[in-house]
Amino acid sequence: MSAAREGRPLLFLETIVAQPLMPHATASWLVDNTSLSFEQIAEFCGLHILEVQAIADDTAATKLTGRDPVRAHELTQDEIDKGQADPNYVLKMLKGPEQVRRTKGPRYTPVSKRQDKPDGIAWILRNHPEVSDGAIGKLIGTTRTTIAAIRDRSHWNIANIVPKDPVTLGLCSQRELDALVVKAAKAAGIEAPTDTRLEGDREALLEQLRAEREAASHVGEEGTEEVRVEHTAETLFKH
């Protein structure tokens, strides 16, 4: 039985064995069509032995339709024969299920945020005209046609589009947007804009730290052990 089911943690070097695409349905088929032990079926399907027992006793919460792992090319009949001949034999999967991978294309945006894309595009067009349509498309996950329609105000919903920071809208991260702007500015031969939105908070925080150091200094003069931590603008805002 696997390390996880025995109650001991998996070691870093232990191999994670591939499991069937539909483990419960596969276990149901193996219970009905082979004489493999419950332990062997549980091990192969990545299930707890009690789950296999429930399937065999027809007490599982859901009625399952068996899935033949041989027809699915996940297990060979030869492996099943070896397992039936030896209760200690560990079945070996022929191949794991195919992994679903995203193909190249526009950035994926959750459905709940897709209606915010035009607002984010309009904000970039207004504040960073040096950024190319292709770069905007990759950042926001949209098409050149949509960007052009917003730029020339021919978009079907142009009356309701309000420029909003795409970071605030959750369409991209601040780091991604900053990197895009810097790259576009460099390509255009202009100086990248400096974000001054935090200047007020910066000064307020520095003033607060000065006051704390002064208060700590007075405590030290009264004989209490003092722990000083020197801060500079660079150490405070290096992240």
Side-chain angles (χ1 to χ4, degrees), residues 161-180:
I161 294 177
V162 179
K164 295 179 183 178
D165 189 336
V167 176
T168 303
L169 294 173
L171 297 172
C172 65
S173 69
Q174 186 65 54
R175 177 173 294 182
E176 290 173 322
L177 179 61
D178 290 344
L180 184 71

Side-chain angles (χ1 to χ4, degrees), residues 32-78:
D32 292 339
N33 296 277
T34 73
S35 59
L36 294 168
S37 69
F38 291 167
E39 288 85 354
Q40 288 173 306
I41 296 174
E43 185 74 27
F44 178 74
C45 296
L47 302 176
H48 193 284
I49 189 172
L50 293 180
E51 293 181 276
V52 178
Q53 181 73 57
I55 292 172
D57 294 340
D58 202 21
T59 57
T62 305
K63 181 63 178 177
L64 299 169
T65 300
R67 179 174 185 268
D68 186 348
V70 178
R71 293 186 62 182
H73 304 293
E74 294 174 344
L75 187 64
T76 63
Q77 185 60 49
D78 184 52

Side-chain angles (χ1 to χ4, degrees), residues 137-231:
K138 289 181 180 179
L139 181 71
I140 303 297
T142 188
T143 64
R144 293 173 185 265
T145 301
T146 300
I147 298 170
I150 295 174
R151 176 184 285 108
D152 61 25
R153 302 189 63 78
S154 63
H155 191 277
W156 67 272
N157 196 35
I158 193 64
N160 297 314
I161 294 177
V162 179
K164 295 179 183 178
D165 189 336
V167 176
T168 303
L169 294 173
L171 297 172
C172 65
S173 69
Q174 186 65 54
R175 177 173 294 182
E176 290 173 322
L177 179 61
D178 290 344
L180 184 71
V181 171
V182 169
K183 184 177 180 179
K186 183 177 180 180
I190 61 177
E191 184 177 352
T194 302
D195 189 349
T196 60
R197 290 175 296 178
L198 299 178
E199 286 300 320
D201 293 340
R202 178 191 181 103
E203 292 302 323
L205 183 56
L206 288 174
E207 184 60 35
Q208 179 183 348
L209 288 170
R210 293 191 191 99
E212 290 176 356
R213 284 203 300 269
E214 184 176 349
S217 177
H218 290 316
V219 172
E221 291 173 358
E222 293 174 1
T224 303
E225 183 179 356
E226 174 190 0
V227 177
R228 287 174 175 263
V229 178
E230 293 295 333
H231 294 283

Side-chain angles (χ1 to χ4, degrees), residues 73-152:
H73 304 293
E74 294 174 344
L75 187 64
T76 63
Q77 185 60 49
D78 184 52
E79 280 293 295
I80 293 176
D81 293 341
K82 290 179 181 178
Q84 292 178 139
D86 179 5
N88 295 316
Y89 183 77
V90 177
L91 300 174
K92 297 180 179 61
M93 177 169 282
L94 183 62
K95 70 169 185 176
E98 296 294 333
Q99 298 297 316
V100 178
R101 296 182 174 85
R102 261 182 58 79
T103 57
K104 291 184 178 180
R107 178 193 186 116
Y108 175 77
T109 304
V111 175
S112 61
K113 296 182 181 297
R114 290 178 188 177
Q115 70 273 13
D116 297 328
K117 285 185 179 184
D119 293 345
I121 295 168
W123 187 92
I124 296 177
L125 292 175
R126 186 183 68 180
N127 293 279
H128 300 290
E130 70 278 6
V131 178
S132 68
D133 289 2
I136 295 175
K138 289 181 180 179
L139 181 71
I140 303 297
T142 188
T143 64
R144 293 173 185 265
T145 301
T146 300
I147 298 170
I150 295 174
R151 176 184 285 108
D152 61 25

